[in-house]
C-alpha cells in the first residue's frame, strides 16, 4: 500500500499525471450527476443530494445566491416547507416521501438553468395541445399506460421504470420558459390494507397532473383516484 502511494506521489512530482480537471469538465460532470439524481433521487440520497449538486453548479457558475432566490420563490408559492420540497406533497400524495414528485420540482429549476437533459421534447403544437386538454383528460381515472398511450414517452422519467413503484412523468419543450407538465403516479397499498408491500396494482395509478408556475396547490388537477387517496396530515408538516 505504501509503495503504491509513493509511486503516485512520484508520478505527480515528475509531471506524468493528468493534473486537475478543467472548469468545463467539472461543470459537465456535475450536470451529469444532477440528471442522474433527478431520475433516481432515492438512489442518490434524496432531496439533500439535489440541493448539494445544484449548489455546486451555482458556485461554478458564479451565482451561488440564486438558490436563495429560488427558495424564497418556492416559499411564496407554497412549495418550500420546514422539511424541504418533499413536505409540500405530504397532504397531496399517499406516500410520505414522494421523492419522484420532489425531484420534478427541482427539475423545473434545472430546466430554467439549462442543466436538464431530457430524453425527448414535445413540439410546440403538441405541448400546447397537451396543456389545452390535460385537465379535462385527468377528470377520469387513468394509469401509467394510459398516459403513455395518450401523450407518448415522457421527456424525463422521475423514479425509474419498475411498475411496482411510484413515479412522475415530465413533459416539456425546448423553450425553457414554458412550465413542465408533470403526471404524478402512485403505487402501493391503500390506507388500512397492509404495510405497503406488495403494491395493490400492476402499474401505477395517475393521481394528479401538475402544470403552471403559480401557487403550488392550484397547479394540481386530481383524478378521482387522486381525490379519494389524498391523505390527511398534520398542518405542522406544511409550515
Amino acid at each position: 500500500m505504501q509503495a503504491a502511494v509513493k509511486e503516485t506521489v512520484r508520478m505527480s512530482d515528475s509531471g506524468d499525471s493528468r493534473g486537475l480537471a478543467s472548469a468545463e469538465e467539472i461543470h459537465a460532470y456535475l450536470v451529469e450527476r444532477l440528471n442522474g439524481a433527478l431520475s433516481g433521487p432515492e438512489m442518490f440520497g434524496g432531496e439533500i443530494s439535489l440541493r448539494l449538486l445544484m449548489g455546486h453548479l451555482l458556485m461554478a457558475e458564479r451565482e451561488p445566491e440564486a438558490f436563495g432566490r429560488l427558495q424564497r420563490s418556492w416559499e411564496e408559492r407554497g412549495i418550500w416547507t420546514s422539511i424541504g420540497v418533499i413536505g409540500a406533497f405530504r397532504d397531496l400524495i399517499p406516500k410520505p416521501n414522494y421523492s419522484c414528485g420532489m425531484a420534478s420540482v427541482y427539475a423545473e429549476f434545472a430546466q430554467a438553468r439549462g442543466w436538464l437533459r431530457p430524453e425527448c421534447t414535445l413540439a410546440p403544437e403538441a405541448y400546447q395541445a397537451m396543456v389545452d386538454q390535460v385537465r379535462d383528460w385527468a377528470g377520469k381515472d387513468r394509469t401509467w399506460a394510459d398516459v403513455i398511450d395518450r401523450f407518448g414517452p415522457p421527456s424525463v422519467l422521475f423514479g425509474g421504470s419498475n411498475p411496482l413503484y411510484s413515479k412522475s412523468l415530465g413533459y416539456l419543450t425546448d423553450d425553457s420558459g414554458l412550465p413542465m407538465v408533470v403526471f404524478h403516479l402512485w403505487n402501493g397499498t391503500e390506507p388500512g390494507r397492509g404495510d405497503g408491500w406488495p403494491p395493490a396494482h400492476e402499474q401505477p395509478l395517475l393521481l394528479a397532473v401538475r402544470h403552471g408556475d403559480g401557487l403550488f396547490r392550484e397547479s394540481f388537477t386530481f383524478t378521482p383516484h387522486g381525490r379519494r387517496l389524498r391523505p390527511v396530515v398534520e398542518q405542522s408538516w406544511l409550515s
Side-chain angles (χ1 to χ4, degrees):
M1 180 66 179
Q2 289 181 342
V5 172
K6 289 180 179 178
E7 178 63 15
T8 300
V9 172
R10 185 194 66 77
M11 291 178 63
S12 177
D13 290 341
S14 65
D16 292 336
S17 67
R18 296 182 180 180
L20 297 176
S22 68
E24 290 76 13
E25 290 172 326
I26 294 171
H27 187 275
Y29 172 79
L30 291 172
V31 167
E32 179 184 359
R33 297 293 287 178
L34 174 62
N35 279 270
L38 288 170
S39 297
E42 292 184 346
M43 296 178 61
F44 279 77
E47 183 166 359
I48 188 63
S49 66
L50 298 180
R51 290 168 62 182
L52 287 171
L53 285 166
M54 288 187 172
H56 295 331
L57 277 164
L58 290 170
M59 178 59 71
E61 295 179 0
R62 299 182 178 181
E63 199 176 353
E65 69 281 0
F67 193 85
R69 295 197 301 268
L70 175 67
Q71 183 176 331
R72 289 190 292 273
S73 172
W74 281 349
E75 287 175 339
E76 293 171 357
R77 295 174 57 200
I79 300 175
W80 188 259
T81 74
S82 59
I83 58 171
V85 171
I86 205 164
F89 286 90
R90 284 289 173 107
D91 70 339
L92 302 174
I93 304 296
K95 179 177 171 60
N97 295 306
Y98 189 58
S99 59
C100 54
M102 171 274 298
S104 73
V105 174
Y106 279 88
E108 292 172 320
F109 181 62
Q111 177 192 4
R113 298 289 307 193
W115 302 332
L116 192 62
R117 301 292 182 262
E119 292 292 327
C120 58
T121 56
L122 296 176
E125 58 273 16
Y127 172 86
Q128 190 58 53
M130 175 185 287
V131 170
D132 292 341
Q133 301 168 16
V134 72
R135 292 189 184 277
D136 288 338
W137 186 83
K140 296 181 180 180
D141 284 328
R142 311 287 186 179
T143 65
W144 183 17
D146 293 329
V147 178
I148 301 300
D149 288 345
R150 178 64 184 84
F151 300 108
S155 303
V156 187
L157 172 61
F158 305 98
S161 59
N162 190 324
L164 298 180
Y165 295 93
S166 301
K167 57 194 81 275
S168 292
L169 315 180
Y171 293 80
L172 52 86
T173 72
D174 290 328
D175 184 348
S176 62
L178 294 175
M180 190 182 298
V181 181
V182 186
F183 294 77
H184 294 297
L185 299 112
W186 166 87
N187 203 354
T189 54
E190 298 189 13
R193 297 187 181 181
D195 61 2
W197 193 265
H201 310 284
E202 293 184 358
Q203 58 179 299
L205 307 179
L206 177 64
L207 299 187
V209 178
R210 182 171 63 83
H211 174 260
D213 51 12
L215 293 176
F216 188 61
R217 291 166 184 265
E218 294 179 1
S219 67
F220 282 77
T221 298
F222 289 92
T223 65
H225 276 318
R227 290 192 296 271
R228 181 173 59 84
L229 294 171
R230 183 170 172 175
V232 177
V233 299
E234 295 294 334
Q235 289 300 308
S236 59
W237 283 113
L238 309 172
S239 59

